[in-house]
Amino acid sequence: MASGVVESPCTAASEVSKLLEYARQTPGFDFLDSSLAIRDGERGRGVFATVAIAKGTPLITIPSALAVRPLDAMAQRIASGECSRLLALVLTVVHGIHFRCEENPFFALLQTSPPPDCPLLWEEAQLRYLEGTSLLQQADGSGAAASKAAASAREAFHGVVLPLMKQIGEALLPSSVQTQRAFATALSWVASRAVLGRVAYEYGSACLWPYLKADGPQTDTRLVLLPVFDLLNTSSDPSALCARLSQAAGGGGHGGAGEAGEAGWMVTATRDIAPGDEILLSYGAHGPAELLRTYGILEGSPDMA
């Protein structure tokens, strides 16, 4: 994915429309068009109610076949213990946003959207603003320098990621995408948008990247990306939340390429929703530091744990 891409309203609307059209071709997908609209708001692009919606109403249904999972070449390395689920999914996104945009509008949307403004993409000069906060700490609890965080990211890429990229080969990951920036951009998308599991971090290591190795701490083995669902935003105000994601009844795979025993998913209204309200759900019980590190959301001060 090219860095620094500025998303124009026309491009955004076009790519979102293509994504919805693509999703509707997958049996089992449903988006409550009569009651929902995708547009820009104070949190950026989001999903909004256009009419009053009653509590308990299904808003979006996403079949298992629509989920983005590791490509076979990456999945085989998970099974053999060579690669973590997180790393395999990120490399799949690296491949997708560089080579699969024409066949899958989800990757085209990522390619034309600015990535989350999270610290794993920051240059060393920007990381200096985090010195003295809980995000830059060493194992003994003392503060770490921005230079150490930047060095840790380089070590993670050159020591863990790049060797695997070279093993997977030029057919899927050409040398043109075997860069730290391309990988970090894809990592930011996965860390901020993946569901059914949380990425693990190396607490006390001063590294702002999630743990990528296959030897643990392990990321949840169900970790996936859900196109369309990831358009939904969150709020730290519990009273603003109005929806939740849950497993769909009846095995929502609908004959698609879901993993063994995996159903689809459904977004449901958890309270009555007024016209104009944004459909917001919880990303989890995260403090300001976690919101900034994982999602690029700045609320409060990251000196809080």
Side-chain angles (χ1 to χ4, degrees):
M1 178 176 183
S3 61
V5 175
V6 177
E7 179 188 54
S8 71
C10 291
T11 299
S14 173
E15 297 303 338
V16 169
S17 296
K18 290 177 183 177
L19 176 59
L20 283 175
E21 182 181 352
Y22 173 83
R24 289 189 179 102
Q25 296 173 11
T26 305
F29 175 82
D30 187 45
F31 185 87
L32 197 60
D33 294 275
S34 61
S35 304
L36 300 175
I38 298 172
R39 61 175 175 81
D40 287 339
E42 63 180 34
R43 298 172 179 81
R45 182 173 51 226
V47 181
F48 294 80
T50 57
V51 298
I53 300 174
K55 177 181 179 180
T57 301
L59 304 175
I60 307 172
T61 303
I62 303 172
S64 177
L66 196 60
V68 175
R69 301 178 177 80
L71 290 171
D72 287 346
M74 286 63 158
Q76 292 168 6
R77 294 175 185 273
I78 300 173
S80 66
E82 302 172 72
C83 180
S84 66
R85 174 80 175 201
L86 174 60
L87 181 50
L89 187 56
V90 177
L91 293 180
T92 297
V93 173
V94 171
H95 171 78
I97 58 183
H98 285 277
F99 302 108
R100 295 181 59 199
C101 291
E102 291 188 7
E103 68 178 82
N104 189 334
F106 174 69
F107 293 118
L109 185 59
L110 295 187
Q111 187 188 56
T112 56
S113 301
D117 188 19
C118 48
L120 66 86
L121 284 170
W122 292 3
E123 301 295 335
E124 185 175 327
Q126 297 171 285
L127 292 176
R128 293 195 186 105
Y129 290 105
L130 297 179
E131 291 181 345
T133 73
S134 62
L135 288 180
L136 284 185
Q137 285 189 348
Q138 302 185 97
D140 61 4
S142 62
S147 57
K148 182 169 183 178
S152 295
R154 289 192 296 271
E155 290 169 8
F157 178 73
H158 289 283
V160 178
V161 180
L162 189 56
L164 185 60
M165 283 182 151
K166 292 184 179 299
Q167 289 176 27
I168 290 171
E170 292 278 328
L172 293 178
L173 299 171
S175 55
S176 61
V177 304
Q178 293 180 15
T179 68
Q180 182 172 330
R181 185 66 187 184
F183 177 80
T185 300
L187 178 58
S188 73
W189 286 125
V190 173
S192 63
R193 295 188 174 211
V195 298
L196 303 187
R198 292 176 60 187
V199 299
Y201 290 89
E202 296 182 79
Y203 290 97
S205 69
C207 185
L208 291 166
W209 283 24
Y211 194 87
L212 298 168
K213 297 178 183 178
D215 61 357
Q218 282 299 293
T219 297
D220 196 301
T221 56
R222 301 172 301 158
L223 197 71
V224 297
L225 292 167
L226 296 183
V228 181
F229 166 77
D230 66 358
L231 297 174
L232 297 171
N233 293 316
T234 191
S235 173
S236 294
D237 178 6
S239 67
L241 304 178
C242 60
R244 66 182 175 88
L245 178 71
S246 60
Q247 203 81 25
H254 299 279
E259 292 178 335
E262 183 179 74
W265 302 272
M266 181 177 291
V267 178
T268 307
T270 56
R271 61 168 172 81
D272 291 341
I273 303 172
D277 283 356
E278 185 171 5
I279 308 302
L280 300 171
L281 43 75
S282 174
Y283 286 0
H286 303 313
E290 183 79 3
L291 286 172
L292 177 60
R293 175 172 58 184
T294 301
Y295 303 102
I297 298 172
L298 185 59
E299 292 186 356
S301 172
D303 59 351
M304 299 170 60

